[in-house]
Amino acid sequence: MTLDSRPVDSRASVCSISRVEHALGVLRGRWKLLIIYHLLVRRPRRFSDLERAIPEVTQKMLVQQLCALESDGVVRRIVYDEVPPHVEYELTSAGAELATAL
């Protein structure tokens, strides 16, 4: 029971806590929020655009963070079959839902 005499469903609170913890785990990292922000402002973006938008991040770290976001289903990597290679990044629908939280 809560203070206002409504019963508390412990399963619902555990579920929401685990979802919040999962979301925080996905966003954990120094650069992930900045990457998501820049992909929200303008999408899709090329890798070099992201490098220019976040000049403090190293190329290695940007690659690692983008790969992590891609594996978490937040970012989609689009590869165009061209010479020279052309790769763009955009938010998935799950990534776009983060806009309200930001």
Side-chain angles (χ1 to χ4, degrees):
M1 300 289 272
T2 61
L3 293 176
D4 60 358
S5 301
R6 286 185 287 175
V8 175
D9 183 4
S10 62
R11 289 177 290 145
S13 63
V14 170
C15 181
S16 64
I17 290 172
S18 66
R19 286 182 175 179
V20 169
E21 288 175 343
H22 176 71
L24 290 174
V26 168
L27 297 175
R28 186 171 296 136
R30 181 174 180 182
W31 304 108
K32 288 182 181 178
L33 287 174
L34 279 172
I35 293 168
I36 291 169
Y37 169 76
H38 285 290
L39 291 174
L40 279 169
V41 171
R42 188 175 125 219
R43 57 179 113 165
R45 285 191 95 141
R46 294 184 76 162
F47 182 82
S48 58
D49 291 338
L50 288 169
E51 279 185 308
R52 282 191 293 275
I54 314 168
E56 299 85 17
V57 67
T58 64
Q59 190 176 52
K60 177 185 174 187
M61 185 55 67
L62 184 57
V63 168
Q64 288 176 347
Q65 299 290 288
L66 284 167
C67 286
L69 288 168
E70 184 180 8
S71 69
D72 289 329
V74 176
V75 171
R76 179 181 306 114
R77 183 175 188 256
I78 306 165
V79 180
Y80 296 95
D81 190 25
E82 298 176 352
V83 176
H86 179 150
V87 177
E88 292 181 339
Y89 295 90
E90 68 180 4
L91 292 177
T92 61
S93 58
E97 289 177 9
L98 293 171
T100 57
L102 298 176

